[in-house]
Amino acid sequence: MKILLTGFSTFGPHENNPTSILIQELRNRRNENIEILQLDVGYEQDGKTVVEKIKEIEPDIVLSFGLAGGRYKVCFEAIALNVRSSLITDNQGMLCSHQKIGNGPLAYESTINYKELEKSLSLEDFAISYHAGTFVCNDVYYQELEYINLNHLNIQCGFIHIPYVEEFAKQIPSIKWERLIDITMRIIDKILEEYNV
Ligand code: PCA
């Protein structure tokens, strides 16, 4: 059993990106074989970097994390859209408007049973979302799912958007660091439970 966790560096107007510390913390606290990968928030290379990593280590589970300032809850993204379009540049200065990511369908769905996840977790600060945006998070997610689908791989792949973290940013809404760890630990537990059935 191998797990790949990905996070992002700081981007846009943000002072930090808690996802980069979150993936380290999760690796430290868990007993599974976990690899972490930090992405630089770039349209061109991030998707390719993750796909290369998946090819190299052949994980059973891929969970990617991104910051979604403004959200109230930890959100599991059900789908990734084949759209690359944002008002801000990525960290390499690239601005994309109304482009496609790949030649595939308009959307790919997570390979994780997210309806079951929502039901079994039943937490008020956790929700299923049907829109990961059209910036780099969605881009990476689409490319992960495209690779998995085209190659018929049995990989549980999901994307989780997190709110601001209270201890790291004076922003509202925000979540407490320990609560974030708790929810993400539970998500991993549930995916493992489901995977082992
Ligand atoms: N959030 C951005 C990109 C990197 C991140 O952490 C997004 O939601 O697309």
Side-chain angles (χ1 to χ4, degrees):
M1 165 65 57
K2 202 179 287 177
I3 305 178
L4 174 63
L5 301 180
T6 77
F8 285 102
S9 51
T10 307
F11 67 100
H14 307 291
E15 279 170 27
N16 52 61
N17 192 334
T19 62
S20 62
I21 321 167
L22 177 64
I23 56 175
Q24 293 173 37
E25 191 67 18
L26 289 171
R27 183 186 53 187
N28 294 344
R29 293 201 195 195
R30 300 201 63 99
N31 298 321
E32 292 85 14
N33 181 359
I34 294 184
E35 286 238 8
I36 61 170
L37 181 65
Q38 159 117 2
L39 301 165
D40 294 332
V41 193
Y43 286 114
E44 279 299 319
Q45 80 282 4
D46 286 357
K48 292 192 187 105
T49 305
V50 182
V51 167
E52 281 311 310
K53 195 71 180 172
I54 294 173
K55 278 185 200 164
E56 181 198 325
I57 69 169
E58 299 182 344
D60 303 288
I61 297 170
V62 177
L63 270 187
S64 293
F65 293 90
L67 173 66
R71 294 212 194 181
Y72 285 82
K73 300 182 181 197
V74 172
C75 294
F76 185 96
E77 300 293 353
I79 59 169
L81 289 179
N82 191 2
V83 180
R84 181 180 272 192
S85 194
S86 64
L87 297 173
I88 60 167
T89 62
D90 68 9
N91 282 356
Q92 285 66 47
M94 191 165 161
L95 187 67
C96 293
S97 303
H98 315 304
Q99 295 178 17
K100 280 190 159 192
I101 298 166
N103 296 319
L106 178 62
Y108 277 115
E109 187 176 26
S110 173
T111 53
I112 289 171
N113 187 347
Y114 54 86
K115 293 169 202 161
E116 187 56 39
L117 185 67
E118 182 188 39
K119 208 161 68 182
S120 58
L121 281 176
S122 181
L123 301 170
E124 58 186 32
D125 41 8
F126 172 80
I128 302 301
S129 155
Y130 287 95
H131 201 337
T134 49
F135 191 42
V136 180
C137 286
N138 172 73
D139 220 272
V140 164
Y141 197 20
Y142 190 88
Q143 292 188 56
E144 291 169 348
L145 291 172
E146 181 174 56
Y147 177 73
I148 289 166
N149 274 276
L150 292 180
N151 294 285
H152 311 289
L153 300 174
N154 184 21
I155 298 178
Q156 311 279 301
C157 178
F159 195 101
I160 294 162
H161 261 131
I162 65 165
Y164 288 118
V165 173
E166 201 176 300
E167 287 85 343
F168 305 150
K170 289 183 183 62
Q171 298 276 1
I172 295 171
S174 62
I175 190 169
K176 284 194 173 11
W177 176 240
E178 274 305 323
R179 179 64 184 159
L180 175 65
I181 303 284
D182 181 39
I183 295 175
T184 48
M185 290 284 276
R186 286 183 203 215
I187 292 171
I188 295 173
D189 287 342
K190 291 292 173 195
I191 295 170
L192 286 170
E193 245 174 72
E194 174 94 3
Y195 184 82
N196 288 331
V197 168

